[in-house]
Amino acid sequence: MAAFVDSSGTIWLTAQGTFDRHAVPMPSRRQFLTRAAALAAVGATSAPSASSEASAGSQPHTQTVDLCGTWKFRCDPEGRGVAESWQKSDYAASDWQQVQVPHTWQVDPLHTDYRGVAWYRRVFEPLPGWRNGLVRIEFEAVFHSATVWVNGQRVGEHARRGYTAFTLDVTPMIRWDAPSTIAVRVDNAFNQHMLPRGRSSDWATDGGIFRPVRFLVTPSVFVEQVDVDAVPDFSRREAALTISARCRNASTKAWAGAADFRVVDEETGLSVLTAGQPASLSLDPQAARLLVLKASLANPKLWHFDSPRLYRLKFSIANGDLEHEYETTFGIRRLEVHNGGLQLNGEPVRLMGVERMAGSHPQFGMAEPCERIEHDLRDLKDLNCIFTRVHWPQDKRVLDYCDRHGILLQTEVPAWGADTFDGMGAEPDADILENGLQQLREMIARDRNHPSVVVWGLCNEIDGQNPAAYQFAKRLLEDAKRLDPGRLCSYASNSLGRTPERDVAGLMDLIETNEYFGTWEPGTAEDAGRHLDRVHQAFPEKPIVISEYGYCACTPERPEGDQHRIEILQTHNAVIRARDYVAGAIFFCYNDYRTHVGDRGVGALQQRVHGVADVYGARKPSYALLRRESSPIESLRIGNELNNFQMLVRTRRDLPMHQVRGYKLVGRFYGQGNIPVELKEADLPDMAPGTEVKVDLSFAQSGPPAHVQFDVLRPTRFSVFTLDWMP
């Protein structure tokens, strides 16, 4: 392993990894510590050994302590909390309401319309083993501003960034011989100095600690974050890994040791790559350092929406007294622009999907439990969604689901609407620009290891020909490319109708247009086609993605009637499919969604009617049509002779368009009384877009069926096409 230090002080390590079909042996903890101590003694003799302060808190992994559950809650409309010492541990909060965190007060009938300041409090007792380590509190999101105290001492603030995670060191404030108190002041009042700006957003601005919160307990010398960039080389059948590990010494003594890593195949549990030789590492007191390691993985398993294969990186630092290991998952895949289209892992694709608006169930709002998230995302998979976008950074559980079940995702900075730049001149206001950059950086820092995240969305419908909006999107694009140059970037535009060449969309990797002819815009599907042609003429070298299309019953002249949604789907899909330069289309949306600008419902049911399912998830007739329209299987034709079925399976050649690999055809035979009595499966051969294959399924039943249900299944076992055959 070679090492050098660049002009910024970053340590660069180059590790040539090894790969074998069998498990690669990993050194035992004793072997690792012995090697690390020896390396520290030889390579870092000028640095003192680890202090007793660090070693006393040593533990091999980060200990996570769940802080979800019962908290005390109170609104503070008059802003009396700080003056009356609500943050102090001896404050009597006996009359406060008990709530369950994650929590938003916007679904409580008492506080549905309240936007302002509210407080949360919780008592905890630290464990003795924490005393000589480091204790941090991690909030996955608080909307939109949070100030945190522990035992009356102010720990920190995360202001006007309501969808990104933050972590605060609470170690100095903890009482080790008595219970301690956490107090959190939350503000969700409409604010002109943040994104979303003021009332500009079209979604639920739910206040509260609305995502999980936990303690992170580590040694005082620890691995803070690890980023993994995995770039496949298809011709050489390998992947280049760049592992960037931020290591921190929060103690008062210098530390010297070594760093090592291994990569584990999540499917098999086997180690497939190791660093080989640990690298020396020294950290000054109260300092952090970035290590950049490079390695090569042979014969990688590529991540794909039909084969979402994951790896787990285990990164360790150690010396004779201390060890800490940080784990993260990643995938190896490449979505890129090629010849005016999109390629996933070297294969031309045309992607299709549907957007989900989180926080829309009136019982939960933005404080969604796991089962609600999984319900909706299972529906997205059932709807054959392979590509989606979201208007704001999502719950980590959403990204984890997309990683493990196969959904490509564009996640966005929550800059929505032309009102974001109202009253500005040639440049965006400094506070809005800085807030956008902060949210972008925090989104990338948390989400960059997720293979499902393939596009950074920078904003939505901002009028990209407005000078201030143009400069805002340009600056965010520059920052995104600096922080993560390997990912695509774009923004969802609604300002490409006239002079599209002047729109900031032209700077992006792909052109995204929100297309609402027949809904928000007058016109027909044919007008949508002419619009797409004009955009393509302006940017002939770039793929076009329809970032939104659909039907909204949002004005008096557009009443709800799901038939309108069905007509938009049928007519607009035909126009889109006829244009091969359209690389993707995302229907808006899966669900009717809660929003403070909603034109239907009151209280927690204030909403916009835009989905193929209602706010509770009940499916409308358009749901079944969207599922069929989004399937890579165009048709399934069936013949039968004495329960020997001959089927012709045909794949789409237009949209969605991708190779069909590893799919199965499943038949369920239902006999008398409509009881399932026999199950048969057949493997489909690999199929290119627009091809047809014959498959036979024979059942042993002698009598005729009541019916037979046929499903084409992805390798992930999600059905992409269902046909119920009756004699």
Side-chain angles (χ1 to χ4, degrees):
M1 178 179 290
F4 68 92
V5 181
D6 67 17
S7 58
S8 68
T10 299
I11 301 175
W12 290 76
L13 306 171
T14 302
Q16 184 60 44
T18 58
F19 173 79
D20 194 282
R21 291 173 184 262
H22 307 290
V24 175
M26 180 67 184
S28 67
R29 185 180 179 195
R30 176 176 292 180
Q31 289 172 324
F32 179 81
L33 293 174
T34 301
R35 290 161 60 188
L39 184 58
V42 173
T45 54
S46 61
S49 62
S51 67
S52 59
E53 176 184 351
S55 60
S58 175
Q59 57 184 38
H61 302 281
T62 300
Q63 180 184 359
T64 60
V65 180
D66 188 6
L67 286 173
C68 297
T70 303
W71 288 59
K72 290 190 173 182
F73 169 80
R74 182 175 180 179
C75 290
D76 186 12
E78 298 174 357
R80 298 183 292 123
V82 174
E84 295 181 0
S85 301
W86 293 7
Q87 74 276 21
K88 293 187 177 179
S89 56
D90 58 356
Y91 175 78
S94 56
D95 59 339
W96 287 32
Q97 179 183 353
Q98 282 196 348
V99 298
Q100 296 298 306
V101 168
H103 171 262
T104 174
W105 62 80
Q106 244 72 53
V107 295
D108 183 338
L110 296 175
H111 310 301
T112 299
D113 298 321
Y114 175 67
R115 289 179 173 84
V117 173
W119 288 70
Y120 295 83
R121 286 173 57 94
R122 176 173 176 148
V123 175
F124 70 95
E125 293 192 27
L127 299 176
W130 301 0
R131 188 156 194 163
N132 294 309
L134 186 77
V135 183
R136 293 171 294 155
I137 188 168
E138 179 189 59
F139 294 87
E140 288 198 23
V142 179
F143 192 84
H144 54 70
S145 295
T147 308
V148 182
W149 291 263
V150 172
N151 292 325
Q153 299 181 66
R154 191 176 184 274
V155 179
E157 181 183 47
H158 189 254
R160 298 177 297 281
R161 305 191 297 280
Y163 302 107
T164 51
F166 62 99
T167 304
L168 301 169
D169 181 2
V170 299
T171 313
M173 293 81 177
I174 292 177
R175 293 175 180 167
W176 300 104
D177 54 355
S180 291
T181 301
I182 306 167
V184 185
R185 180 186 184 273
V186 179
D187 185 358
N188 82 323
F190 292 114
N191 191 300
Q192 291 293 319
H193 305 284
M194 60 168 283
L195 299 170
R197 188 182 183 204
R199 298 175 179 268
S200 67
S201 62
D202 180 16
W203 59 81
T205 53
D206 288 354
I209 305 175
F210 72 96
R211 290 183 187 159
V213 56
R214 61 184 63 86
F215 279 137
L216 306 175
V217 185
T218 65
S220 54
V221 181
F222 64 104
V223 184
E224 188 172 27
Q225 181 171 321
V226 180
D227 298 331
V228 184
D229 292 314
V231 181
D233 185 324
F234 307 122
S235 62
R236 300 178 63 180
R237 298 188 66 184
E238 64 181 22
L241 304 187
T242 301
I243 301 164
S244 304
R246 186 172 182 83
C247 304
R248 182 173 294 277
N249 180 2
S251 76
T252 58
K253 303 289 182 66
W255 186 91
D260 207 348
F261 74 87
R262 63 171 169 153
V263 175
V264 175
D265 183 335
E266 284 255 296
E267 184 179 18
T268 65
L270 299 179
S271 295
V272 296
L273 180 67
T274 62
Q277 183 70 23
S280 60
L281 170 66
S282 60
L283 291 166
D284 293 334
Q286 302 293 317
R289 201 162 195 178
L290 183 69
L291 280 73
V292 180
L293 290 76
K294 292 182 178 292
S296 178
L297 176 62
N299 301 314
K301 297 178 178 178
L302 299 179
W303 191 97
H304 185 278
F305 51 78
D306 275 340
S307 53
R309 292 160 172 159
L310 295 174
Y311 291 94
R312 181 171 294 273
L313 176 80
K314 300 188 177 188
F315 187 94
S316 299
I317 59 172
N319 64 11
D321 298 317
L322 176 145
E323 178 185 5
H324 183 240
E325 183 175 83
Y326 182 104
E327 292 190 6
T328 186
T329 56
F330 68 97
I332 300 170
R333 55 98 188 94
R334 185 165 69 203
L335 182 70
E336 60 186 334
V337 173
H338 183 76
N339 290 336
L342 290 175
Q343 286 193 353
L344 177 62
N345 297 335
E347 170 200 335
V349 292
R350 296 179 70 189
L351 306 170
M352 197 165 180
V354 58
E355 181 172 351
R356 165 188 180 257
M357 292 293 276
S360 291
H361 194 291
Q363 181 180 347
F364 311 115
M366 287 288 185
E368 295 179 313
C370 287
E371 57 268 22
R372 191 70 227 168
I373 292 172
E374 292 177 0
H375 168 278
D376 289 0
L377 294 178
R378 282 195 304 270
D379 270 3
L380 260 61
K381 289 296 295 184
D382 184 62
L383 285 165
N384 287 309
C385 175
I386 56 175
F387 180 40
T388 189
R389 59 178 280 258
V390 290
H391 282 48
W392 61 89
Q394 296 292 289
D395 192 304
K396 183 178 179 294
R397 294 168 292 181
V398 171
L399 305 187
D400 288 341
Y401 188 99
C402 293
D403 286 348
R404 296 187 177 280
H405 297 89
I407 301 176
L408 301 169
L409 178 70
Q410 173 174 315
T411 182
E412 295 180 3
V413 174
W416 182 83
D419 287 351
T420 300
F421 303 98
D422 185 44
M424 300 183 193
E427 296 286 337
D429 288 354
D431 55 354
I432 291 296
L433 176 59
E434 182 58 27
N435 185 261
L437 290 169
Q438 287 176 337
Q439 295 200 52
L440 174 74
R441 292 162 188 165
E442 291 180 355
M443 177 176 72
I444 291 176
R446 192 201 68 168
D447 297 342
R448 63 176 298 153
N449 287 352
H450 289 277
S452 59
V453 177
V454 291
V455 183
W456 297 125
L458 307 180
C459 35
N460 178 33
E461 296 189 353
I462 59 169
D463 183 6
Q465 300 187 36
N466 174 301
Y470 189 106
Q471 293 302 319
F472 173 88
K474 181 173 179 287
R475 283 292 309 277
L476 263 66
L477 175 64
E478 292 167 353
D479 224 46
K481 289 299 184 182
R482 176 183 62 83
L483 293 168
D484 188 15
R487 266 192 183 87
L488 301 178
C489 294
S490 193
Y491 99 98
S493 176
N494 68 337
S495 48
L496 291 166
R498 296 180 179 177
T499 60
E501 65 279 357
R502 296 174 52 190
D503 200 282
V504 71
L507 302 182
M508 305 294 160
D509 294 312
L510 54 143
I511 307 300
E512 292 187 342
T513 179
N514 289 356
E515 183 272 287
Y516 281 115
F517 287 93
T519 298
W520 290 107
E521 294 287 335
T524 64
E526 289 70 27
D527 293 313
R530 286 186 281 271
H531 165 73
L532 293 172
D533 291 340
R534 287 192 297 271
V535 174
H536 176 58
Q537 185 177 9
F539 309 106
E541 303 301 318
K542 295 191 176 185
I544 294 174
V545 169
I546 299 172
S547 37
E548 293 180 30
Y549 73 115
Y551 174 80
C552 179
C554 301
T555 61
E557 69 273 14
R558 292 200 306 272
E560 172 58 3
D562 199 50
Q563 185 59 37
H564 297 303
R565 199 164 287 109
I566 289 171
E567 291 170 1
I568 289 286
L569 259 171
Q570 291 172 327
T571 58
H572 288 238
N573 281 357
V575 164
I576 295 165
R577 288 191 168 115
R579 289 160 171 80
D580 58 7
Y581 57 76
V582 177
I586 301 173
F587 187 78
F588 191 85
C589 63
Y590 159 66
N591 52 341
D592 299 341
Y593 60 96
R594 294 177 54 250
T595 171
H596 65 93
V597 296
D599 38 69
R600 301 291 182 89
V602 296
L605 279 164
Q606 188 177 5
Q607 63 187 278
R608 276 195 158 158
V609 178
H610 223 308
V612 298
D614 69 16
V615 291
Y616 291 99
R619 300 173 180 180
K620 305 175 187 178
S622 55
Y623 180 102
L625 176 62
L626 180 60
R627 170 174 157 78
R628 290 196 303 273
E629 288 284 307
S630 303
S631 175
I633 305 301
E634 183 175 74
S635 63
L636 179 60
R637 290 180 289 163
I638 299 176
N640 175 43
E641 185 176 349
L642 300 176
N643 295 335
N644 297 307
F645 288 84
Q646 305 84 40
M647 283 151 291
L648 289 174
V649 183
R650 184 167 187 82
T651 57
R652 291 192 189 276
R653 62 177 303 274
D654 37 45
L655 187 81
M657 183 199 77
H658 60 84
Q659 295 282 333
V660 166
R661 297 189 185 92
Y663 282 49
K664 292 181 180 292
L665 180 63
V666 176
R668 296 176 181 84
F669 191 106
Y670 289 78
Q672 185 180 11
N674 207 33
I675 296 171
V677 294
E678 191 173 355
L679 177 69
K680 289 288 186 179
E681 288 191 6
D683 293 331
L684 292 180
D686 292 350
M687 300 178 66
T691 58
E692 191 171 71
V693 66
K694 181 175 178 294
V695 182
D696 294 331
L697 278 186
S698 296
F699 294 92
Q701 307 302 310
S702 58
H707 68 103
V708 183
Q709 179 178 310
F710 294 99
D711 277 281
V712 179
L713 303 183
R714 298 183 189 270
T716 52
R717 304 296 293 184
F718 287 97
S719 170
V720 300
F721 192 95
T722 302
L723 191 150
D724 210 24
W725 183 89
M726 301 184 71

